[in-house]
Amino acid sequence: MPNTVNYAEVWQPELLPILIQETMCSPFITNNVRWLSARTFHFTSMSTSGFKNHNRTGGWNKGEFKQSDHPFTVEHDRDIQFLVDKADVDESNQTASIQNIAHTFTQTQSAPEKDALFFSKVADTAKKLEGYHSETAASEYNKTNVFGKLKGFLSAGKLRRYKAKGALVMYVTSAIMDALEQSVDFERKIEVMRVADGGEGIETRITEIDGVPVMEVIDDEVFYDSFNWEPENGGFEPTKSTAHKINVLIASPLTTKLVPKISSIYYFAPGAHTEGDGYLYQERELSDVFTFPNGKDGKVDSVYVDTDTATVS
């Protein structure tokens, strides 16, 4: 199917603003990984036994230590290319330019896919852990119970450890944020804020519960626990019949990381490639999301997810 180009008669030099929420997972993105020429990196955890009573007649109690290797393999490998014919660039008064295509692709495809990958991988990890996941019908959340439910999630398992360090982030749906704003138990102000991280930003409604930032996920098409990464027209979509909408997701930037291995962008002018008489744009991203075990007993205890009871039809 040929690309659709807007052949302009009256040219507006700027594209219409793309009104979508910016990348939500930016606090979790890291480049601090040593790859050693492979796509698998290793995380080592260690645990030790504790003190025992000292015997004053002599001798020392023997302790034990355990060191475990945890391999992590990057598997989310994606690419795309766009060819813009020279005539299309000229006849659309530059609107069909590589710059505009790259800008639109990044905002509408690349950035949302990072969020979808992040949310679904963290949710999948939490669902495998006893005591770190739950299911609640979305309709059950209301202004009288929402604060108590969120407080309960933050108290699950060992999450208090991370909460005490100020190292948890909670994501919620717009409906839950609305209920929280009206909560009779919740008196602090909810504001629209911009949270910067490494030059990137998140603009959304944000509040705090017990020192934990609570962020609203407005563009909820990324907020599911399972995705099909190969729909017919590219991109991603919730896995039909099995995916659940996420109500609440909690993670710690200390232990959950979106790890990019390859982020390649190539631009070729006409005549510098063999794909056709035009400008060629190619992009590839190889990345993945991992939640590391803690350093004490080698267990994962820093994530939580609450999903809707209904599946995607």
Side-chain angles (χ1 to χ4, degrees):
M1 182 177 179
N3 292 331
T4 300
V5 176
N6 176 26
Y7 296 104
E9 294 181 6
V10 178
W11 179 50
Q12 176 64 33
E14 298 294 333
L15 293 177
L16 292 174
I18 303 170
L19 300 177
I20 63 172
Q21 194 169 24
E22 295 183 53
T23 307
M24 298 288 292
C25 64
S26 59
F28 294 83
I29 298 174
T30 182
N31 289 302
N32 188 25
V33 173
R34 189 178 180 188
W35 289 105
L36 300 177
S37 301
R39 66 171 186 161
T40 298
F41 65 96
H42 294 260
F43 174 87
T44 301
S45 64
M46 180 179 288
S47 61
T48 67
S49 57
F51 277 120
K52 297 178 182 179
N53 287 332
H54 180 67
N55 187 342
R56 295 195 177 193
T57 61
W60 293 81
N61 292 301
K62 293 183 179 180
E64 295 181 349
F65 71 91
K66 295 180 180 179
Q67 184 168 301
S68 301
D69 178 72
H70 306 272
F72 294 90
T73 301
V74 180
E75 296 180 343
H76 194 71
D77 200 354
R78 311 281 279 171
D79 72 68
I80 194 70
Q81 75 172 23
F82 300 100
L83 176 68
V84 185
D85 191 274
K86 282 202 302 186
D88 289 338
V89 175
D90 178 61
E91 293 168 11
S92 65
N93 285 322
Q94 306 291 327
T95 301
S97 70
I98 287 292
Q99 180 181 359
N100 286 335
I101 288 175
H103 173 70
T104 301
F105 175 77
T106 298
Q107 284 201 293
T108 64
Q109 300 293 334
S110 177
E113 182 165 312
K114 287 182 176 65
D115 284 337
L117 179 66
F118 171 76
F119 290 133
S120 61
K121 292 295 288 282
V122 173
D124 182 63
T125 297
K127 284 194 164 190
K128 296 174 182 176
L129 304 174
E130 184 177 354
Y132 290 88
H133 62 91
S134 55
E135 285 194 0
T136 308
S139 59
E140 289 186 19
Y141 284 91
N142 56 62
K143 64 182 182 181
T144 61
N145 66 18
V146 63
F147 184 65
K149 284 183 179 294
L150 298 184
K151 288 268 291 185
F153 297 154
L154 288 171
S155 299
K158 301 297 184 181
L159 289 182
R160 287 186 179 89
R161 290 177 180 170
Y162 301 92
K163 183 171 69 174
K165 294 180 179 179
L168 283 180
V169 179
M170 174 186 283
Y171 297 93
V172 302
T173 62
S174 291
I176 290 177
M177 185 64 88
D178 289 341
L180 188 60
E181 198 166 22
Q182 301 169 40
S183 172
V184 295
D185 301 314
F186 187 78
E187 297 179 353
R188 278 167 286 183
K189 190 175 181 182
I190 294 176
E191 297 180 336
V192 176
M193 299 175 61
R194 188 173 184 84
V195 177
D197 181 82
E200 298 296 328
I202 301 168
E203 188 167 316
T204 188
R205 281 191 295 177
I206 298 178
T207 188
E208 236 180 44
I209 296 178
D210 297 340
V212 177
V214 182
M215 298 188 183
E216 174 190 15
V217 181
I218 299 172
D219 296 324
D220 57 0
E221 68 272 9
V222 303
F223 213 35
Y224 288 87
D225 61 3
S226 174
F227 286 95
N228 169 22
W229 302 108
E230 296 184 286
E232 182 178 354
N233 294 320
F236 60 92
E237 63 184 12
T239 309
K240 290 181 173 60
S241 303
T242 59
H244 296 78
K245 186 74 170 290
I246 297 173
N247 295 319
V248 180
L249 185 136
I250 302 169
S252 171
L254 294 179
T255 54
T256 295
K257 301 293 184 182
L258 194 158
V259 182
K261 176 171 171 55
I262 296 175
S263 183
S264 302
I265 296 177
Y266 302 101
Y267 168 76
F268 301 95
H273 59 89
T274 60
E275 296 290 331
D277 187 21
Y279 302 87
L280 183 65
Y281 175 91
Q282 297 175 326
E283 182 168 352
R284 179 189 177 192
E285 291 185 357
L286 174 58
S287 60
D288 223 322
V289 177
F290 305 107
T291 298
F292 303 125
N294 65 47
K296 183 178 181 181
D297 55 16
K299 294 182 179 179
V300 175
D301 56 9
S302 60
V303 293
Y304 189 94
V305 68
D306 180 69
T307 55
D308 194 359
T309 53
T311 57
V312 175
S313 57

